């Protein structure tokens, strides 16, 4: 092996079983899936389901990206980025499907960059600022438990594309939930300080739980998961008092607009540009 | 005692046999492995170089990391997110290699945040537009590849193996950068200006990444004799310039050096002299972003302390519970 | 710094890249417990490659034959874990990329 030409050595070993990181769009998870919308489906409703789930994922991924260079340990940098990349990948697929379903043919970036806060349908839980690691873990636990249960049902959706996206997402979300549950147990059980922080995080998250349980009957399943984890962590189940309004109908906290301003700023400053 | 990760052997005075064996291994171009005897100077030099390299990966996440949340398309966001994540991974591979020499990661991190160990000067420059993401990929990762591909043959096994892994990923980094720039150069006039502006700002700091000129680089000769390093700073810098010139032409940007021209006789490009005083100032801590970079790393580490402690405490409690269960 | 100086212990990571192959040592990492070590190993050394098998073991639990052993203790794992540079569409005539 010679390094006389510094790039030659890099050409070795790139055979066809090399594999991309998840979520970066380097492979087509919908390969071989018929993308035409089935005739017996309400296309408008399908689009709205896709946009809603994509908004949840995009806003969550944005918050996870904010952890970059701020995580409590380097190994957690890698883990949080993996989860963020998965969710970003889900958002991209779902936006693309929405564009096919609603007949506008809009691409993923049209949805992500050129809609205002009032048009976003994500749950408010996703847009809350990161807070400390305990808050991010409790939020991730709740969010991934709900999303996993929801996606498991979507794998049987009559739209084959949405079903395929859900099937891919289920594997990812199972890992997210496991990661969050393990950390919840460590922090709940760990030290007095970590326990106190977890209690506080639970209280902060509790008001936003109700918003998740609107479609499909996954509430009991999710609550059972949360109960199991909180018991193992030595934490109480939070009492939940739902807030009025819902992100699903466009009600948001004051935190969404600044999040979107950062996300959309460069794209909107150069509307004619290609990236 | 830890058996995988060697503890430092007592002293250099381990006897002529060991020294001879070490010298012969280096001379045969074979690898030194963690539990082999090695001169103390070799171990120290390696720990310093690998740690500095690891720190550079971790601090290097910051200038680009700023743009993940602002990337102007979801595809670019995913690529950049994955790239910055890779850098955390590279840092971990390298700390792991340093630990095979008996170094301790917590200790190396302390040294970094107390300013006792350095990282690459390039990461003390600010990223001012999204074009910087592309130019960092093209120049900085390109320069890193020039520096690092020879290190895949470094005499210390764990370092060489970590570099093989890293170089493959860096190649993806450089290509994504160049591809972004090509796309931008095909875009609006404003985008082309952004690219040229980023090129102007990053060119000279990138040349400085190879370190001071050979006649001012006191440690290089020993490192080359030990085959920790395989090429001199100036040699690598020249190689980088030769490669980059034609890439710049294809891209349609101008490298900001009036002295840059092909020298038929030497078979290389002539180029201007970087501002070595600036390099020294940045290394000593007076670059545009030194304080900001260190502050971020320090804050993350300190704010993460309660999390790390909680995990340790939980593991201890679990172990105690398991023991109690076994007794009962 | 306080009690935090008490670092998470070091683990060695072994990965079976695909069926039919041995587990190969790929490096090390720090983790507070075995579960965390497995999670980190999956994230770091396989970048979420489903279906591979991972072993982790506390470094201090490994016994080794001799100190002059020639085992490759930091062998790079199968190439499939890397991101693939040829994804990026660069014209053939751009040199050295």
């Amino acid at each position: 092996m010679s390094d006389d030409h510094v790039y030659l050595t890099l050409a070795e070993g790139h055979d066809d079983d090399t594999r991309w990181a998840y979520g970066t769009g380097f492979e087509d998870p919908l390969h071989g899936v018929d993308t035409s919308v089935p005739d017996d489906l309400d296309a408008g409703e399908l689009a709205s389901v896709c946009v809603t789930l994509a908004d949840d994922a995009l806003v969550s991924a944005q918050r996870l990206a904010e952890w970059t260079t701020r995580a409590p340990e380097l190994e957690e940098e890698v883990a949080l980025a993996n989860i963020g990349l998965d969710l970003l990948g889900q958002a991209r697929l779902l936006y693309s499907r929405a564009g096919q379903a609603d007949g506008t043919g809009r691409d993923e970036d049209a949805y992500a960059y050129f809609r205002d806060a009032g048009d976003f349908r994500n749950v408010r839980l996703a847009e809350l600022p990161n807070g400390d690691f305990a808050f991010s873990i409790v939020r991730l636990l709740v969010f991934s438990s709900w999303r996993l249960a929801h996606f498991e049902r979507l794998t049987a959706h009559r739209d084959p594309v949405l079903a395929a996206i859900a099937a891919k997402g289920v594997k990812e979300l199972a890992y997210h939930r496991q990661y969050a549950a393990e950390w919840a147990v460590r922090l709940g059980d760990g030290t007095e300080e970590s326990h106190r922080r977890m209690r506080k995080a639970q209280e902060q998250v509790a008001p936003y739980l109700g918003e998740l349980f609107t479609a499909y009957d996954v509430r009991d399943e999710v609550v059972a998961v949360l109960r199991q984890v909180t018991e193992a962590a030595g934490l109480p189940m939070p009492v939940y008092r739902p807030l009025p309004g819902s992100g699903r109908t466009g009600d948001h906290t004051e935190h969404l607009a600044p999040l979107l301003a950062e996300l959309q700023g460069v794209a909107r400053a150069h509307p004619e540009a290609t990236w | 005692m830890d058996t995988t990760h060697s503890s430092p052997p007592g002293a250099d005075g381990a006897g002529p046999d060991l020294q001879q064996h070490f010298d012969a291994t280096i001379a045969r171009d074979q690898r030194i492995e963690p539990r082999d005897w090695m001169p103390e100077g070799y171990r120290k030099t390696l720990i310093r170089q690998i740690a500095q390299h690891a720190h550079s990966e971790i601090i290097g996440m910051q200038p680009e990391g700023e743009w993940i949340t602002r990337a102007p398309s979801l595809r670019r966001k995913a690529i950049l997110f994955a790239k910055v994540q890779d850098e955390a991974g590279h840092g971990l591979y390298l700390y792991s290699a340093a630990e095979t020499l008996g170094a301790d990661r917590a200790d190396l991190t302390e040294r970094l945040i107390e300013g006792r160990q350095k990282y690459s000067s390039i990461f003390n420059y600010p990223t001012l537009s999204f074009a910087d993401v592309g130019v960092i990929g093209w120049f900085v990762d390109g320069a890193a590849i020039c520096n690092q591909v020879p290190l895949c043959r470094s005499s210390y096994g764990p370092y060489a193996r970590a570099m093989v892994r890293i170089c493959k990923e860096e190649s993806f980094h450089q290509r994504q950068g160049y591809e972004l720039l090509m796309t931008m150069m095909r875009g609006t006039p404003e985008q082309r200006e952004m690219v040229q502006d980023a090129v102007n700002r990053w060119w000279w700091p990138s040349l400085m990444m190879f370190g001071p000129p050979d006649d001012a680089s006191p440690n290089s000769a020993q490192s080359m004799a030990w085959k920790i390093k395989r090429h001199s700073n100036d040699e690598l810098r020249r190689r980088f310039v030769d490669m980059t010139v034609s890439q710049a032409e294809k891209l349609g940007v101008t490298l900001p050096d009036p002295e840059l021209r092909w020298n038929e006789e030497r078979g290389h490009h002539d180029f201007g002299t970087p501002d070595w005083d600036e390099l020294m100032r940045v290394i000593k801590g007076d670059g545009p972003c030194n304080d900001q970079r260190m502050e971020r790393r320090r804050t993350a580490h300190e704010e993460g302390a309660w999390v790390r402690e909680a995990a340790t405490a939980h593991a201890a409690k679990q172990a105690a519970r398991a023991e109690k269960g076994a007794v009962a | 710094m306080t009690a935090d100086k008490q670092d998470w212990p070091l683990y060695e990571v072994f990965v079976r890249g695909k069926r039919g192959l041995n587990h190969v040592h790929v490096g090390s990492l720090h983790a507070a417990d075995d579960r965390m070590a497995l999670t980190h190993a999956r994230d770091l050394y396989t970048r979420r490659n489903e279906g591979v098998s991972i072993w982790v073991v506390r470094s201090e639990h490994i016994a080794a034959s001799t100190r002059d052993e020639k085992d490759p203790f930091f062998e790079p794992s199968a190439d499939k874990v890397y991101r693939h540079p040829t994804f990026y569409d660069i014209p053939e005539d751009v040199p050295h990329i």
Side-chain angles (χ1 to χ4, degrees):
Chain A
M1 180 164 88
S2 154
D3 57 67
D4 288 344
H5 189 305
V6 292
Y7 293 105
L8 282 182
T9 49
L10 298 177
E12 295 166 7
H14 293 310
D15 46 82
D16 46 1
D17 75 349
T18 50
R19 172 166 183 161
W20 291 98
Y22 270 57
T24 37
F26 301 140
E27 57 186 49
D28 181 9
L30 301 180
H31 181 74
V33 177
D34 180 5
T35 56
S36 58
V37 180
D39 292 336
D40 56 341
L41 268 182
D42 180 340
E45 195 188 309
L46 173 63
S48 136
V49 167
C50 290
V51 168
T52 300
L53 291 170
D55 287 349
D56 277 348
L58 177 63
V59 171
S60 300
Q62 184 79 353
R63 287 299 185 212
L64 285 161
E66 291 173 13
W67 271 108
T68 303
T69 72
R70 294 179 176 88
E73 187 50 287
L74 297 177
E75 279 87 353
E76 305 318 319
E77 290 280 352
V78 181
L80 293 167
N82 266 340
I83 297 171
L85 279 164
D86 284 344
L87 290 171
L88 187 52
Q90 292 177 11
R92 297 179 64 189
L93 292 169
L94 289 161
Y95 283 138
S96 299
R97 186 53 175 164
Q100 291 161 353
D102 69 12
T104 59
R106 280 182 284 178
D107 66 6
E108 57 184 40
D109 290 336
Y111 290 96
Y113 291 93
F114 296 97
R115 286 182 308 141
D116 294 327
D119 301 325
F120 272 71
R121 291 292 176 267
N122 58 283
V123 287
R124 287 173 291 185
L125 178 65
E127 73 206 31
L128 297 175
N130 278 339
D132 63 5
F133 191 64
F135 178 81
S136 288
I137 287 297
V138 173
R139 165 165 57 191
L140 183 63
L141 176 64
V142 168
F143 179 71
S144 56
S145 298
W146 170 77
R147 195 170 172 92
L148 175 58
H150 190 52
F151 268 45
E152 275 168 352
R153 278 159 180 74
L154 288 178
T155 56
H157 200 277
R158 280 184 301 142
D159 177 37
V161 176
L162 180 54
I165 295 171
K168 177 178 187 288
V170 160
K171 291 184 204 144
E172 298 166 348
L173 292 161
Y175 167 78
H176 304 176
R177 188 180 72 174
Q178 181 192 326
Y179 174 85
E182 284 173 9
W183 265 112
V185 170
R186 279 184 204 112
L187 297 179
D189 181 55
T191 61
E192 263 176 47
E193 181 180 8
S194 66
H195 185 83
R196 178 181 58 76
R197 286 176 183 260
M198 285 297 281
R199 293 285 288 269
K200 189 170 157 221
Q202 285 183 303
E203 280 164 28
Q204 288 166 332
V205 164
Y208 298 94
L209 275 171
E211 227 168 282
L212 288 167
F213 305 126
T214 49
Y216 297 83
D217 187 22
V218 296
R219 179 196 307 246
D220 292 348
E221 190 179 328
V222 174
V223 168
V225 169
L226 296 181
R227 193 178 301 283
Q228 193 191 342
V229 176
T230 48
E231 262 172 37
L235 292 162
M237 260 312 259
V239 185
Y240 92 91
R241 290 175 297 274
L243 287 175
S246 169
R248 297 293 188 226
T249 50
D251 302 316
H252 291 287
T253 66
E254 73 273 25
H255 305 296
L256 182 61
L259 178 147
L260 292 177
E262 181 169 333
L263 190 150
Q264 299 171 334
V266 177
R268 289 189 176 201
H270 307 277
E272 305 297 316
T274 45
W275 305 97
Chain B
M1 195 55 225
D2 184 337
T3 47
T4 317
H5 293 256
S6 62
S7 57
D12 281 330
D17 288 0
L18 290 170
Q19 179 75 48
Q20 268 170 15
H21 185 255
F22 173 85
D23 291 343
T25 307
I26 298 275
R28 284 197 310 271
D29 237 342
Q30 289 197 332
R31 300 288 174 268
I32 303 297
E33 295 296 342
R35 286 182 300 276
D36 293 347
W37 180 88
M38 61 189 84
E40 210 36 43
Y42 177 85
R43 178 190 304 276
K44 280 189 179 148
T45 303
L46 268 171
I47 290 178
R48 195 184 60 229
Q49 180 175 332
I50 298 173
Q52 186 167 323
H53 192 162
H55 298 332
S56 300
E57 296 283 356
I58 299 305
I59 298 291
M61 295 167 71
Q62 291 183 30
E64 289 175 284
E66 295 300 313
W67 291 89
I68 299 173
T69 54
R70 294 184 272 170
S73 78
L74 294 185
R75 178 173 175 269
R76 291 292 168 199
K77 193 193 261 306
I79 290 169
L80 186 57
F81 207 170
K83 187 198 162 184
V84 174
Q85 181 200 35
D86 273 349
E87 283 158 11
H90 296 176
L92 284 167
Y93 303 154
L94 288 162
Y95 283 126
S96 157
E99 288 188 296
T100 64
L101 290 157
D104 171 62
R105 192 170 103 200
D107 178 54
L108 297 177
T109 303
E110 291 291 307
R111 285 168 192 263
L112 168 67
I113 61 186
E114 286 167 10
R116 290 188 285 142
Q117 277 181 343
K118 303 290 181 200
Y119 54 89
S120 178
S121 58
I122 192 85
F123 301 119
N124 289 318
Y125 291 86
T127 41
L128 302 181
S129 84
F130 198 71
D132 289 35
V133 168
V135 172
I136 288 178
W138 178 30
F139 284 172
V140 178
D141 295 316
I145 290 172
C146 282
N147 263 331
Q148 292 171 0
V149 168
L151 293 177
C152 298
R153 298 192 300 128
S154 170
S155 61
Y156 187 58
Y159 189 31
R161 291 190 286 272
M163 292 317 306
V164 169
R165 192 187 272 278
I166 289 170
C167 283
K168 288 187 178 178
E169 296 186 353
E170 293 284 354
S171 168
F172 141 67
H173 295 175
Q174 195 201 19
R175 293 178 73 95
Q176 66 82 29
Y178 195 79
E179 193 224 44
L180 169 60
L181 297 177
M182 285 201 318
T183 310
M184 290 184 72
M185 291 301 285
R186 287 194 296 258
T188 64
E190 217 180 351
Q191 283 185 293
R192 283 191 284 280
E193 273 170 41
M194 285 164 75
V195 174
Q196 183 63 55
D197 171 62
V199 165
N200 294 348
R201 285 181 288 109
W202 288 92
W203 175 247
W204 291 109
S206 300
L207 290 190
M208 293 179 202
M209 274 181 78
F210 296 94
D214 292 347
D215 50 21
S217 182
N219 298 326
S220 285
Q222 178 63 72
S223 286
M224 286 176 70
W226 275 331
K227 296 184 185 172
I228 294 174
K229 246 179 108 157
R230 318 272 328 200
H231 301 279
S232 80
N233 295 352
D234 286 336
E235 220 176 312
L236 291 166
R237 188 165 15 246
R238 195 183 61 210
R239 191 179 276 195
F240 173 72
V241 172
D242 284 342
M243 269 175 1
T244 309
V245 167
S246 44
Q247 294 167 358
E249 277 165 18
K250 290 281 171 211
L251 197 57
V253 296
T254 310
L255 299 174
D257 179 358
E259 295 174 50
L260 187 65
R261 63 181 57 82
W262 177 251
N263 183 325
E264 190 63 55
E265 208 174 298
R266 289 173 53 239
H268 293 290
H269 289 87
D270 292 331
F271 54 97
T273 309
D275 182 348
W276 299 123
D277 294 339
E278 177 180 320
L279 176 64
M280 285 306 138
R281 280 197 305 277
V282 176
I283 288 177
K284 291 209 163 76
D286 288 331
C289 300
N290 295 55
D291 294 345
Q292 182 186 332
R293 303 287 184 241
M294 292 294 281
E295 182 57 27
R296 169 70 63 81
R297 183 71 194 103
R298 192 180 300 119
T299 305
H301 190 67
E302 286 171 3
E303 288 182 355
W306 71 269
V307 178
R308 300 192 295 274
E309 280 164 27
T312 304
H314 168 69
K317 284 182 184 177
Q318 284 290 79
R321 284 189 280 254
E323 201 166 309
K324 208 170 159 192
V327 171
Chain C
M1 294 282 100
T2 54
D4 174 49
K5 278 297 280 181
Q6 200 188 18
D7 215 4
W8 288 347
L10 195 64
Y11 280 81
E12 301 301 321
V13 182
F14 302 80
V15 172
R16 185 202 298 284
K18 53 177 140 180
R19 288 180 181 281
L21 298 180
N22 284 320
H23 283 78
V24 173
H25 183 256
V26 293
S28 60
L29 50 76
H30 288 271
D33 54 50
D34 294 357
R35 294 282 334 157
M36 191 197 281
L38 280 170
T39 311
H40 286 161
R42 176 166 179 261
D43 284 332
L44 180 61
Y45 287 105
T46 72
R47 294 286 204 285
R48 315 292 310 286
N49 199 351
E50 309 289 343
V52 299
S53 158
I54 301 173
W55 290 345
V56 292
V57 61
R58 288 274 287 269
S59 306
E60 62 192 21
H61 293 155
I62 293 185
S65 54
T66 60
R67 90 169 183 178
D68 204 7
E69 188 173 87
K70 296 292 189 289
D71 280 354
F73 253 71
F74 201 76
E75 202 69 47
S77 65
D79 282 337
K80 65 167 59 155
V81 304
Y82 300 116
R83 294 159 162 87
H84 201 312
T86 49
F87 171 69
Y88 297 97
D89 188 20
I90 308 274
E92 291 292 316
D93 57 350
V94 176
H96 309 317
I97 285 231

